[in-house]
Amino acid sequence: MKLYITPGSPYARMARMVVIEKGLEKRVEIVVAQTRRADSPYYAINPSGRVPYLVRDDGVGLEESTVICAWLDHADGKPIFDPPAGDAAWEARRLEAIARSMLDGLAVWSRETARPENERSPTTVRHETERSRRMIDVWEKEIGHPLLGGALNMVQITLACALGLEARMPDFRWRPGHPKLVEWHGRIAARPSFAATAPPG
Ligand SMILES: N[C@@H](CCC(=O)N[C@@H](CS)C(=O)NCC(=O)O)C(=O)O
């Protein structure tokens, strides 16, 4: 299989973490894609131009980090990241949705700040900065939830990749005033899959 990524993409990082957590390094070739470039050869592989993108052994391509992570998790027939059974499944979906909501906002903010200065929208930056502040407060309250402890799951991976954007976004300062989140992040940051997928600063 081939997994197309960019080193800074938090969505691709989720898929890269799953590859490592599942021990799939020998089965999945990581390929750096040229995104956001006119006429990139990558568009012939994935017309949407986004990463992550997984080209399976049968040649079929998959988009969307959730779909790709689930496929990779099932690739060995022994999934470990499927949602739990019963009511806990709704809790897992609820928390994953909040983590993804924060991540989506951060991605918009990060994209905005990557634009040439005269093309940036201060309104968008302000809106996303404020959203992230509110969401970090939510996470400081939710971080004691049983699904944020115990075995690694997609809620934890999504939240970790969102918080990890601090390496690329100096204005995303989520640590002050959020000691529980800092402590939680310290634990997940110690995992080899997280360390090995750190985005460039
Ligand atoms: N919902 C998608 C989001 C993927 C996404 O937005 N990826 C960004 C990088 S962080 C991208 O490929 N951008 C290139 C572009 O927009 O052309 C997922 O979860 O995989």
Side-chain angles (χ1 to χ4, degrees):
M1 290 179 268
K2 279 189 182 176
L3 178 64
Y4 290 87
I5 63 129
T6 55
S9 164
Y11 300 99
R13 187 180 195 182
M14 291 169 62
R16 291 162 69 206
M17 282 185 72
V18 171
V19 168
I20 296 169
E21 292 289 342
K22 295 287 302 196
L24 293 170
E25 294 95 327
K26 290 211 171 86
R27 286 183 63 187
V28 181
E29 183 189 348
I30 305 289
V31 184
V32 175
Q34 297 292 336
T35 60
R36 298 187 162 270
R37 241 187 39 194
D39 304 323
S40 169
Y42 178 54
Y43 301 156
I45 298 161
N46 178 13
S48 88
R50 293 183 202 276
V51 289
Y53 189 67
L54 182 76
V55 178
R56 299 186 323 207
D57 289 335
D58 62 4
V60 173
L62 300 180
E63 252 208 284
E64 277 292 323
S65 49
T66 39
V67 178
I68 293 169
C69 289
W71 174 270
L72 291 169
D73 184 27
H74 281 251
D76 59 1
K78 294 179 215 137
I80 55 174
F81 296 132
D82 276 349
D87 286 347
W90 290 107
E91 278 301 279
R93 289 167 84 164
R94 176 181 76 80
L95 291 166
E96 195 176 328
I98 306 173
R100 186 163 277 270
S101 174
M102 182 167 78
L103 174 56
D104 289 345
L106 290 167
V108 170
W109 178 8
S110 160
R111 213 165 288 152
E112 202 59 38
T113 49
R115 285 184 210 285
E117 206 159 339
N118 63 334
E119 289 178 21
R120 267 179 228 162
S121 159
T123 308
T124 301
V125 171
R126 203 162 36 243
H127 183 65
E128 296 304 340
T129 306
E130 289 307 313
R131 190 203 311 278
S132 76
R133 278 214 188 104
R134 295 191 302 271
M135 298 305 280
I136 286 295
D137 286 345
V138 168
W139 279 110
E140 182 68 8
K141 292 195 189 96
E142 293 281 9
I143 205 67
H145 192 289
L147 283 170
L148 271 306
L152 189 70
N153 54 41
M154 289 314 298
V155 178
Q156 296 176 28
I157 289 178
T158 309
L159 178 60
C161 290
L163 295 176
L165 278 171
E166 67 182 339
R168 292 181 72 72
M169 302 171 65
D171 290 337
F172 177 40
R173 286 188 288 266
W174 56 265
R175 289 171 184 268
H178 304 98
K180 293 185 207 154
L181 206 49
V182 171
E183 201 266 329
W184 179 88
H185 180 268
R187 265 182 285 132
I188 201 154
R191 294 187 83 93
S193 64
F194 192 76
T197 55

